Amino acid sequence: MKSRILFWSITSALAGFLFGFDTVVISGAEKRIQSLWNLSPEMHGFAIASALYGTVFGSLFGGWPTDRFGRKPTLIGVGLLYIVSAVGCGLAWDVYSLIAFRLLGGIGIGVSTVAAPLYISEISPPAYRGRLAGMFQFNIVFGIIVAFLSNYLLEGIGENAWRWMLGVAAFPSLVYTVMCLAIPESLRWLLSRKRDREAGLRVLRLIQPEASPAELEAVADEIQAASPAAAEGKSFWTRRLRFPIVLAFLVAFFNQLSGINAILYFAPRIFGLTGLEEKAALLQSVGIGVTNLVFTFVGLWLIDRLGRRTLLYIGSFGYIASLGLCAWAFFNWAPQFHAASTALGVKDAVAAVQGATAANRGESENRLTERTKALEAASRTEGAGTTPISFPPSASHENMLQVADTALKQASAASGSGGLLVLACIFAFIAAHAIGQGAVIWVFISEIFPNRHRAAGQTLGSSTHWVFAALLTTVFPVMLNAMPPGFIFLFFCGMMVLQLLWVAVMVPETKGVPLEELERRLTGGPEGVRS
């Protein structure tokens, strides 16, 4: 494999780094944002998910600039959107400005999930396509771990730490944008969309410098034959493309119905449900990132060896085991976990009151009163493992903190290994995702559509992914308030059983097959040859 192809792939895949960083960096700031502006659970969920709504928009319409202007200009535009979003989020003056700038960054993420995997797939040799296109996912994971680590390091710098958490993404965004200036346009876009054969042959010569002129002409002929001029203007929504359309929709649907984005976004809060305090929860979130990174390496090493379908099998079994055990742990230690997390809620509420301004002090005091009453009730629940608590009306903040800290220690001791089991299950879930869906989704979607419709197909898969990601992330905080977490994890487990059945009966293997050959297998041949 030529070093220049590796460089182009890495550069394009750096859009995934920014995607991963932006996706998770909010997890370290979301509690502070909620307390700073006294957000309701519904507004809080919307603010956190706002980038996902932008991502839905970007993924729905990202195919248009990718086809109209080309892959390279679109990737440069993505970098500019990331820069503006990061700076704006760091300087946000209220929740509405934060939402607006996160929407803008989300649009960049959505477009990147269309343009970047598609670009890498179109310049890659078939034998290396899985690993090269999979670098987009690797960079997503790398961005996630850097975001978790960044949050951990910045968490203690003061009340404006959350602004630095969100704004620091401007620096890698600038580096990525400059690097994109050095990559060529996709040869398949030049040949099949722009129909600039001379420019396409120049790029092809860079990819295959050892090939003779006749061999280069033959490759160009094959690519153009797969996208004949007669196919221009033909609809994407045709019976001929029904199988790739169904595959793209379902791989994205099941990716999100695993709960992956909700768990990544709210990792510290999920660990807090077991009584893990915020600083420790943020550190465990770094552990999630490391696990994701290590097993993404494993997935990329295996994807061109075992194939896409086998990795989806492995991931499905891992999902089912880890989510099922996690649900059981939350059911089995429910009273202890509830008492511990409620004690944490009192400590957070005291901190919010102590840092409140005159304008929001009353609301913060009301929330503290609600939390202390909740802890009193939780401490009396059978099996909670805590001494029954009563807060006198005259209790000082220091006294409340002492009582809550004692309750937290008692409930955590009563839960024994329960918290560790949840932690282990979440780490196993992340490993299963990294080897399976995480490694496969962007590679698979970028492979299964014909050259002429690849951007539209990538748009379908990406927008499906982000629609469900936005919906789940918006409702996840509401679900946590409305029902025991065990039911949520049990639902995700059930969806992964359905994914396993789908892989068994429908998913084809695409490993090592040229894109034009995949078109013949999945659709019956080029448009204009078979209607």
Side-chain angles (χ1 to χ4, degrees), residues 276-361:
L276 198 63
E277 296 195 69
E278 184 172 3
K279 190 76 174 180
L282 283 171
L283 185 57
Q284 296 300 340
S285 297
V286 175
I288 283 181
V290 172
T291 301
N292 209 349
L293 187 69
V294 169
F295 284 93
T296 296
F297 267 124
V298 176
L300 292 182
W301 185 76
L302 293 174
I303 194 167
D304 283 323
R305 292 174 171 85
L306 298 183
R308 290 55 158 157
R309 191 166 186 259
T310 302
L311 293 191
L312 286 175
Y313 268 125
I314 294 170
S316 296
F317 286 118
Y319 278 144
I320 293 166
S322 58
L323 290 169
L325 276 173
C326 195
W328 176 80
F330 273 112
F331 285 127
N332 193 58
W333 286 284
Q336 298 94 323
F337 287 166
H338 179 58
S341 61
T342 307
L344 280 178
V346 171
K347 295 178 72 172
D348 290 342
V350 169
V353 170
Q354 291 174 337
T357 63
N360 61 20
R361 187 172 183 84

Side-chain angles (χ1 to χ4, degrees), residues 219-248:
V219 173
D221 287 342
E222 183 180 9
I223 293 172
Q224 289 192 307
S227 303
E232 294 194 29
K234 286 197 173 184
S235 172
F236 174 74
W237 300 99
T238 62
R239 181 177 177 83
R240 173 178 176 269
L241 294 178
R242 66 190 183 280
F243 189 48
I245 286 172
V246 171
L247 289 174

Side-chain angles (χ1 to χ4, degrees), residues 270-490:
I270 291 170
F271 291 138
L273 292 172
T274 69
L276 198 63
E277 296 195 69
E278 184 172 3
K279 190 76 174 180
L282 283 171
L283 185 57
Q284 296 300 340
S285 297
V286 175
I288 283 181
V290 172
T291 301
N292 209 349
L293 187 69
V294 169
F295 284 93
T296 296
F297 267 124
V298 176
L300 292 182
W301 185 76
L302 293 174
I303 194 167
D304 283 323
R305 292 174 171 85
L306 298 183
R308 290 55 158 157
R309 191 166 186 259
T310 302
L311 293 191
L312 286 175
Y313 268 125
I314 294 170
S316 296
F317 286 118
Y319 278 144
I320 293 166
S322 58
L323 290 169
L325 276 173
C326 195
W328 176 80
F330 273 112
F331 285 127
N332 193 58
W333 286 284
Q336 298 94 323
F337 287 166
H338 179 58
S341 61
T342 307
L344 280 178
V346 171
K347 295 178 72 172
D348 290 342
V350 169
V353 170
Q354 291 174 337
T357 63
N360 61 20
R361 187 172 183 84
E363 190 167 350
S364 297
E365 291 279 8
N366 291 336
R367 183 172 290 118
L368 175 58
T369 300
E370 292 173 1
R371 298 283 176 84
T372 55
K373 289 181 178 178
L375 180 55
E376 288 176 345
S379 70
R380 290 173 169 81
T381 302
E382 183 179 356
T386 58
T387 303
I389 295 169
S390 293
F391 289 99
S394 59
S396 66
H397 291 158
E398 289 73 17
N399 178 253
M400 290 180 181
L401 286 173
Q402 290 173 357
V403 172
D405 194 54
T406 299
L408 175 60
K409 290 177 180 177
Q410 290 176 340
S412 298
S415 67
S417 59
L420 289 177
L421 179 59
V422 170
L423 185 65
C425 287
I426 295 296
F427 275 51
F429 166 82
I430 295 297
H433 176 81
I435 288 178
Q437 271 272 10
V440 170
I441 179 172
W442 304 115
V443 176
F444 189 71
I445 296 172
S446 70
E447 294 176 321
I448 58 178
F449 288 95
N451 291 334
R452 170 61 54 182
H453 297 292
R454 186 164 294 115
Q458 194 78 27
T459 295
L460 170 67
S462 179
S463 59
T464 301
H465 175 277
W466 290 117
V467 164
F468 284 101
L471 291 174
L472 282 171
T473 305
T474 300
V475 303
F476 193 73
V478 180
M479 292 169 69
L480 286 176
N481 286 336
M483 66 180 71
F487 285 110
I488 299 172
F489 284 93
L490 191 61

Side-chain angles (χ1 to χ4, degrees), residues 17 62 70 96 117 121-122 196 198 218 228 238 287 297 299 311 363 368 392 424 505:
F17 173 87
Y96 302 105
S121 179
E122 290 184 338
D196 187 340
E198 183 179 349
T238 62
F297 267 124
L311 293 191
E363 190 167 350
L368 175 58
V505 302

Side-chain angles (χ1 to χ4, degrees), residues 249-272:
F249 175 84
L250 288 178
V251 73
F253 171 81
F254 284 122
N255 181 283
Q256 284 306 301
L257 268 293
S258 69
I260 183 63
N261 267 49
I263 290 171
L264 288 176
Y265 267 59
F266 295 99
R269 187 173 292 249
I270 291 170
F271 291 138

Side-chain angles (χ1 to χ4, degrees), residues 5 10 31 63 148 165 189 206 220-221 293 296 312 362 411 436 479 530:
I5 297 177
I10 290 173
K31 285 187 178 181
F148 279 139
M165 289 177 183
W189 182 80
L206 293 173
D221 287 342
L293 187 69
T296 296
L312 286 175
M479 292 169 69
R530 179 181 184 271

